[in-house]
Structure formats: C-alpha cells, structure tokens
C-alpha cells in the first residue's frame, strides 16, 4: 500500500533515492522495483534488519532491474550520514508528525537533496487525525507517538521556509480513516472487537484484490476523508552567481 503516487512523483531508473524513516520499507521496495539506487534509513534496528532481508529476497527473485541497488541502514534523521547533494529523490512518509524538530529534519533533507531534486512528504491529514485524537489518548500519547497534527498550509509553509518549492498535493487512504476511528473507539490495542476485525478483513481484501468498486470509492472519498496528506516539492537550482558564492564559501 503506497501513499506516494508515482504518477505525480516521477522516478527514473538510476535515481539515487533516500527513503527517510522507511519503517517496513514499502516505498523503498517500490523504488527498487523501478530501478532506483535506494537507501532505506530508519532509527529502528529491528525494522532495518527486516527491510534488508526483503531487499535480498527481491534481488534473488529478480524483482529489481539490472543496475538497481538497495541498502538498509540505521540512522538519525536529524544528522544524516551523507554528503550534501547526495540524492535525486527523498521520501519521508508518516514520519514528521513523530519528530519534535521537524524543521531540523526538513533542513537535513534539503541539504542531502540535489538541486532540481524531488521530495515527497506525507503526514496524517488534519481532520481524520483530529477525530483519532478526540476518541483516544492512547492513540497518540505513547512513546514515539504523534506529537502534532499538521494543517496542509502549515506543512507547505514549512517546506517553503526550508527552501523547497511545492508543486502538488493530494490525499490518500480514505478507506483507512474509518478503520482507525474504530480502533480508537474500541481501544487501539484491542484487535478482537468485532467491528475492528470486520473492517480489517475488508482492508486486507481491498489491498490484495484491488476490486474496482473499492478503488473507485476510495478515489471519490480521498478529498473528503483521506487519511494522509501528501505534498510534492522540488529543490530549486540556485542562480549562477549564488551557486558560485556558495561553492567559494565551502
């Protein structure tokens, strides 16, 4: 299940991609399949081990084209272990709402992104997320949980302040909003509640089968109750005089 829409976020074979806060690796795997040179980075060592295993399995199964590479590594989003202008593409999906210094994370992403490079940022959408917070303190008051809810304009303003130029937005995963409302209403750790179990089966069926009815329904509902807000931006090229001055200062 991808949150980034690669029809709006073009990826070329050979692009160097950083999936920052990769989690279970869903976007990293898709970039690898598309022929990119992928670095999946997360602070969770257990998840990184699993992502590395999946990368190896994908390579063995021939799921990635020739020339594609994939690396999984632990790292700190506020202190990325890469030189300036290392990546053509940066993806950060459902991560920034967890990090107190979100401006610092944006600054690091901009630093490692090449001029002309592209970035995709996804966060929980304001409305559906407010419902979750209202229904359950346990949903967000946990270690490593969500510490803020972004309004769309607020996130776009922070991206602009960091030097990025947003070029598109959309919402995703409308069918998942009711699932999380049910989870929050019946207890976020209570997977045995009948409504939660029933709706989870629906989501699994939808992900596996991709029936036309639910695909159309989600597209219609995304603008209204999409669970995620997705923003795309580029890092502008510096004017020549500014670029020369920056190079001289290094």
């Amino acid at each position: 299940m991808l949150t980034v829409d690669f029809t709006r976020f073009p990826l070329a074979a050979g692009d160097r991609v950083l999936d920052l806060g990769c989690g279970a690796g869903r976007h990293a795997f898709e970039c690898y399949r598309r022929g990119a040179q992928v670095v999946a980075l997360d602070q969770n060592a257990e998840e990184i081990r699993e992502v590395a295993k999946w990368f190896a399995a994908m390579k063995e199964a021939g799921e990635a084209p020739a020339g594609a590479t994939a690396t999984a590594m632990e790292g700190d989003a506020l202190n990325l272990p890469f030189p300036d202008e290392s990546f053509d593409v940066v993806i950060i999906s459902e991560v920034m709402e967890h990090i107190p210094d979100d401006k610092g994370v944006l600054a690091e992403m901009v630093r490692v992104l090449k001029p002309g490079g592209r970035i995709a940022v996804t966060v929980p959408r304001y409305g559906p997320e407010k419902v979750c917070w209202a229904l359950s303190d346990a949903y967000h008051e946990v270690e490593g949980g969500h510490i803020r809810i972004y309004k769309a304009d607020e996130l776009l303003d922070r991206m602009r302040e960091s030097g990025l130029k947003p070029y598109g937005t959309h919402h995703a995963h409308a069918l998942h909003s009711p699932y999380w409302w049910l989870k929050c209403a019946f207890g976020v750790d209570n997977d045995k509640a009948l409504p939660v179990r029933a709706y989870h089966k629906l989501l699994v069926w939808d992900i596996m089968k991709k029936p036309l009815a639910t695909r159309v329904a989600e597209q219609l509902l995304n603008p209204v109750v999409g669970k995620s807000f997705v923003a795309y931006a580029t890092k502008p090229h510096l004017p020549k005089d500014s670029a020369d001055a920056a190079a001289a200062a290094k």
Side-chain angles (χ1 to χ4, degrees):
M1 183 186 74
L2 299 174
T3 307
V4 172
D5 180 352
F6 287 95
T7 66
R8 309 179 197 220
F9 189 64
L11 186 69
D15 276 352
R16 186 164 167 78
V17 177
L18 173 64
D19 185 1
L20 181 56
C22 65
R26 57 200 171 105
H27 289 105
F29 301 149
E30 180 64 20
C31 292
Y32 189 32
R33 290 187 188 99
R34 289 171 178 261
Q37 298 176 9
V38 184
V39 176
L41 183 143
D42 201 285
Q43 67 176 3
N44 187 310
E46 184 176 344
E47 287 195 312
I48 284 298
R49 285 192 293 270
E50 287 300 311
V51 170
K53 290 177 183 177
W54 278 106
F55 278 151
M58 290 172 67
K59 182 178 180 179
E60 184 175 348
E63 290 188 34
T69 62
T71 303
M73 61 185 296
E74 290 182 65
D76 180 358
L78 290 165
N79 186 23
L80 295 174
F82 311 112
D84 296 356
E85 302 177 5
S86 298
F87 294 93
D88 303 290
V89 172
V90 176
I91 297 170
I92 184 166
S93 183
E94 311 299 304
V95 173
M96 287 181 56
E97 67 276 8
H98 296 272
I99 300 177
D101 186 8
D102 58 345
K103 292 182 179 180
V105 172
L106 277 168
E108 272 293 86
M109 290 190 290
V110 172
R111 179 184 68 80
V112 302
L113 186 65
K114 296 177 183 178
R118 303 172 305 286
I119 186 167
V121 180
T122 91
V123 297
R125 185 183 186 174
Y126 183 82
E129 186 75 349
K130 285 284 285 186
V131 174
C132 288
W133 284 45
L135 289 171
S136 171
D137 290 337
Y139 171 79
H140 62 98
E141 291 182 356
V142 295
E143 184 178 355
H146 299 184
I147 63 170
R148 72 173 66 82
I149 307 175
Y150 288 99
K151 293 183 178 179
D153 288 346
E154 178 187 7
L155 178 61
L156 293 171
D157 285 344
R158 293 195 186 190
M159 292 172 71
R160 292 187 186 100
E161 290 167 3
S162 73
L164 294 168
K165 185 177 180 180
Y167 68 83
T169 65
H170 65 91
H171 300 98
H173 309 318
L175 295 182
H176 288 250
S177 291
Y179 173 70
W180 281 102
W181 298 338
L182 289 170
K183 289 270 288 181
C184 290
F186 286 92
V188 290
D189 297 320
N190 180 12
D191 293 328
K192 295 182 179 179
L194 180 59
V196 175
R197 287 192 290 116
Y199 202 96
H200 183 263
K201 287 183 180 179
L202 170 67
L203 292 180
V204 172
W205 173 73
D206 174 59
I207 291 169
M208 299 301 294
K209 301 296 185 180
K210 297 181 175 62
L212 179 61
T214 55
R215 294 299 84 221
V216 171
E218 184 155 80
Q219 289 301 313
L220 293 173
L221 290 170
N222 274 337
V224 184
V225 292
K227 183 74 170 67
S228 295
F229 174 70
V230 188
Y232 305 108
T234 59
K235 178 179 176 179
H237 289 275
L238 287 172
K240 187 176 187 305
D241 290 346
S242 299
D244 291 344
K250 288 185 178 180

